[in-house]
Amino acid sequence: MTTAAPPAPGPLTGLRVLDLATLFAGPLAATMLGDFGADVVKIEHPTRPDPSRGHGPAKDGVGLWWKLLGRNKRTVTLDLSKPGGRDLLLRMAADADVVIENFRPGTLEKWGLGWEELSAANPRLVLARVTGFGQFGPYSHRPGFGTLAEAMSGFAAITGEPDGPPTLPPFGLADSIAALATAYAVMTALTGRQATGRGQVVDLAIIEPILTVLGPQPLWYDQLGYVQPRTGNRSRNNAPRNTYRTSDGSWLAVSTSAQSIAERVMRLVGRPELAAEPWFATGGGRAEHADVLDDAVGGWIARHTRDEAMAAFEKAEAAIAPVYDVRDVMEDPQYRALDTVTEVPDPELGTVRMQNVLFRLSETPGAIRWTGRPHGADTDEVLAGLGLSAGEIAALRSEGAL
């Protein structure tokens, strides 16, 4: 299905966002705002564009990651370190609602574009500063990437097999979590502006949101001295909970967080006597007997094909899911019904398929209006909108500000 224009303007229509950030948390937060109608202007260096344009696989020299990350953004080139670029950004900020940046602390200040100057140009502006370690503290000036947050948060320490090394995710997990948090923080600050009439600074450290989603680890340690270990696919809170291989070589994931589900699974796999054991009555008790439960569930699944096991679990109202790769995701009927991966026209590649907007709104839905545009494609149009003449734009370009 090709995404059509929404029946009504997106709920963020009229919101003006300047995206100064690169790789990946800040730009993804701006994408999320653009998906729901915000006018996002992507600011890139004239000769050093956002690295995501060249990150990962490309087709015919066209970077595919940028098509996703740059969607619903107009693209402008500015060298913020030059006086002409600085002055233009201040003019753009004067009419903006949000600026998102991820330079190391002090960089914008060095260029005369810190909070003091930006807020003087526009007291209603919200400045979202997304960095690895935040704006202050002993690590604040270190280069920071999501990988470091995945390591320092405790995520890697609990990921992997018990006798294996700490495991990092093969994708931008911490950055993506930070992007969600940044979009939420921006909307929170904008709501606050309705009461105060003034903008404010959002200081988001990538090391923090991922720590939040890891659950009560600090509380456990504070109160019990408990340090969560690596348990592979198992959980210390319930069992059976694992991945199991079918007779036709597929993998299935089973979860029994609810007591009733655990009992149904035991009946299904022909081991109802295990559900009568005293230890079976709690998730923790079941987790202590995970070997027995995994043998029961894994043995049953190993004797059935994926389709047979899925059908039996569904009939028993027990929780199961296939372990997919992206090929399976693209063909799954539930994802298709939701239009989770949607078709979007692209002037360079024809029709492309990418993830749709993050959620559905019944009255003011979001939409993918266009895919990531070429570097600097909208520079002249945006600057003309500021009142600059063609001659002024040419002069700025000749001095390297554009």
Side-chain angles (χ1 to χ4, degrees):
M1 184 193 314
T2 301
T3 300
L12 300 184
T13 296
L15 187 72
R16 295 173 296 276
V17 179
L18 302 180
D19 174 11
L20 279 57
T22 58
L23 289 180
F24 282 102
L28 182 54
T31 302
M32 293 173 183
L33 299 175
D35 283 351
F36 286 90
D39 176 17
V40 180
V41 175
K42 174 74 175 181
I43 307 294
E44 298 176 87
H45 191 276
T47 60
R48 298 191 299 275
D50 190 313
S52 68
R53 290 183 179 273
H55 215 76
K59 181 181 179 182
D60 299 331
V62 178
L64 299 178
W65 203 322
W66 169 252
K67 291 296 179 182
L68 174 68
L69 192 64
R71 72 189 192 192
N72 292 334
K73 299 178 183 180
R74 296 189 287 163
T75 60
V76 169
T77 58
L78 287 182
D79 187 340
L80 302 181
S81 68
K82 294 186 179 296
R86 171 193 179 275
D87 292 345
L88 284 174
L89 185 74
L90 287 175
R91 289 178 65 173
M92 295 172 72
D95 195 40
D97 297 287
V98 180
V99 171
I100 300 175
E101 65 98 2
N102 70 340
F103 298 104
R104 289 198 211 181
T107 301
L108 283 186
E109 285 75 7
K110 178 179 66 176
W111 295 335
L113 289 169
W115 175 238
E116 183 176 342
E117 291 85 0
L118 289 170
S119 61
N122 181 357
R124 292 177 55 80
L125 187 71
V126 170
L127 173 62
R129 317 195 78 165
V130 185
T131 56
F133 302 102
Q135 296 296 309
F136 57 91
Y139 304 160
S140 60
H141 288 275
R142 291 182 181 178
F145 297 97
T147 298
L148 309 187
E150 289 146 12
M152 288 182 61
S153 63
F155 172 85
I158 64 170
T159 304
E161 294 300 321
D163 56 353
T167 301
L168 295 167
F171 66 100
L173 176 64
D175 277 315
S176 299
I177 296 171
L180 288 162
T182 300
Y184 167 56
V186 164
M187 299 311 299
T188 302
L190 290 171
T191 301
R193 188 179 71 176
Q194 294 177 3
T196 67
R198 296 188 60 82
Q200 59 185 300
V201 176
V202 172
D203 176 8
L204 190 135
I206 297 174
I207 60 172
E208 291 184 305
I210 188 171
L211 183 60
T212 295
V213 304
L214 285 175
Q217 286 192 31
L219 183 60
W220 285 340
Y221 180 75
D222 176 64
Q223 295 297 303
L224 302 172
Y226 175 73
V227 178
Q228 184 175 344
R230 284 191 291 283
T231 56
N233 290 325
R234 288 180 173 178
S235 168
R236 286 292 182 96
N237 302 313
N238 68 83
R241 191 263 197 183
N242 214 325
T243 57
Y244 307 94
R245 195 166 193 173
T246 65
S247 63
D248 55 354
S250 297
W251 289 90
L252 299 174
V254 172
S255 177
T256 58
S257 296
Q259 181 71 22
S260 59
I261 299 291
E263 293 171 0
R264 290 175 202 161
V265 170
M266 289 304 103
R267 290 194 295 269
L268 170 63
V269 302
R271 298 295 302 275
E273 76 280 2
L274 292 177
E277 293 285 350
W279 48 261
F280 197 90
T282 66
R286 297 196 306 275
E288 291 176 0
H289 295 79
D291 286 342
V292 173
L293 297 174
D294 275 347
D295 285 345
V297 176
W300 185 90
I301 288 178
R303 297 190 297 272
H304 295 78
T305 66
R306 185 180 85 167
D307 290 346
E308 290 170 347
M310 290 287 296
F313 267 72
E314 185 170 349
K315 183 177 180 181
E317 298 184 350
I320 194 170
V323 176
Y324 278 171
D325 64 21
V326 68
R327 293 168 294 187
D328 302 307
V329 169
M330 301 290 263
E331 300 301 324
D332 181 84
Q334 182 62 33
Y335 280 129
R336 286 193 168 204
L338 296 173
D339 198 27
T340 304
V341 179
T342 195
E343 294 183 352
V344 188
D346 179 82
E348 294 179 286
L349 299 172
T351 298
V352 300
R353 289 188 289 175
M354 64 174 61
Q355 299 95 317
N356 210 334
V357 299
L358 198 57
F359 47 85
R360 286 163 288 279
L361 296 178
S362 63
E363 300 299 323
T364 54
I368 303 171
R369 303 187 299 282
W370 61 82
T371 57
R373 290 173 53 70
H375 182 225
D378 304 289
T379 301
D380 289 13
E381 176 190 347
V382 170
L383 297 188
L386 292 176
L388 275 71
S389 67
E392 290 173 312
I393 293 172
L396 286 165
R397 187 167 277 121
S398 67
E399 71 181 49
L402 304 182

